[in-house]
Amino acid sequence: MIDGVSRPTLLLVHGAWHGGWCWEKLASVLHADGWRTRAVDLPSAGGRAGVQDDAQVVLGELERIEGPVVVVAHSYGGIPVSQAVAQAGNVSQIVYLAAYQLDVGESLLGFHGAPVSPGPRDVEAVPDDPVGLFYGDVPRSEAEQAAARLVPQSTQSFRDALTRAGWHTIPSTYIVCEDDRALPVQSQQTLAARSGAVHRIKSSHSPFLSMPGELAALLSEIALASEPGTRRTS
């Protein structure tokens, strides 16, 4: 029987330019349904850290959680999560939410066919029109409040290639956001082909803000179906 004690903890990992704050609305819904959640703040957001630094933060948080964990990675967050979970022993499932499910040797810039050699910038400024890019279906006032909290993102985090990819041995699920303007659906579908299961949600890039109830229900379904300790062989 799965109850409030034996349920896995959900570790929520944000994407570029964001912070752990972006999960607050979703976490509130999940808590009301009896789920335990944790969120991290990746040092690449607002700093100059790379993927390995972000992965160490994720791994450190995993080591502090007792029992099985379902890791939910959004957008860029999928990259350090893939790196970190390969070294963790308590992850029962990875959920890639419109996220970069990259393989060993791949980087975010490389996936998009962009040059990965060092350039003149240390950080990537917050994109123009973040409301339209990230929060197209979020109420305008709430979207503007979220956009005001965005910070520059480390360019290094976009250049760094994975040296490990935990999804080769840990079950993974991909959630495609069908109205996403930040990570095109075609790119998501290419990445989702690497997951063991695929779900679709009709949302912008940020369903944790636009439809937290629907996303929470889907995450609950995925997490309840996960079997702690089950690992695939690559």
Side-chain angles (χ1 to χ4, degrees):
M1 181 178 69
I2 295 182
D3 53 29
V5 175
S6 59
R7 284 181 176 186
T9 297
L10 301 180
L11 176 61
L12 310 173
V13 183
H14 65 83
W17 299 289
H18 287 70
W21 56 265
C22 72
W23 299 108
E24 291 169 359
K25 193 173 179 181
L26 173 68
S28 178
V29 178
L30 288 167
H31 294 165
D33 194 34
W35 291 95
R36 298 182 303 275
T37 70
R38 303 278 283 272
V40 296
D41 286 305
L42 299 178
S44 63
R48 289 169 171 74
V51 167
Q52 297 298 331
D53 303 295
D54 287 342
Q56 285 303 309
V57 169
V58 174
L59 183 59
E61 195 66 29
L62 286 170
E63 291 173 345
R64 287 187 285 273
I65 299 174
E66 295 185 6
V69 182
V70 172
V71 183
V72 182
H74 179 239
S75 197
Y76 160 80
I79 302 173
V81 161
S82 292
Q83 182 77 34
V85 299
Q87 305 171 67
N90 59 341
V91 177
S92 59
Q93 179 89 199
I94 314 164
V95 180
Y96 292 92
L97 175 62
Y100 288 90
Q101 187 170 354
L102 301 185
D103 208 343
V104 173
E106 295 180 341
S107 67
L108 186 150
L109 289 177
F111 175 78
H112 288 293
V116 296
S117 57
R121 296 189 304 273
D122 289 329
V123 297
E124 298 295 324
V126 175
D128 294 335
D129 188 23
V131 170
L133 188 65
F134 299 135
Y135 316 122
D137 55 351
V138 178
R140 184 74 188 189
S141 61
E142 185 179 353
E144 290 175 346
Q145 290 173 10
R149 301 184 72 173
L150 300 177
V151 296
Q153 176 74 19
S154 163
T155 303
Q156 187 63 44
S157 66
F158 291 168
R159 295 189 188 118
D160 286 346
L162 284 185
T163 61
R164 302 187 184 195
W167 54 266
H168 280 292
T169 54
I170 299 171
S172 61
T173 297
Y174 202 100
I175 300 176
V176 175
C177 293
E178 295 184 322
D179 294 332
D180 198 327
R181 292 182 59 190
L183 184 57
V185 171
Q186 184 176 358
S187 295
Q188 291 184 57
Q189 291 175 163
T190 298
L191 294 161
R194 297 170 169 178
S195 273
V198 180
H199 297 270
R200 307 179 77 88
I201 188 167
K202 193 165 182 59
S203 77
S204 68
H205 194 56
S206 306
F208 41 81
L209 292 178
S210 63
M211 48 182 65
E214 293 90 333
L215 180 58
L218 179 54
L219 291 175
S220 296
E221 175 188 336
I222 294 168
L224 289 173
S226 67
E227 297 182 13
T230 300
R231 301 172 74 93
R232 300 198 309 256
T233 57
S234 58

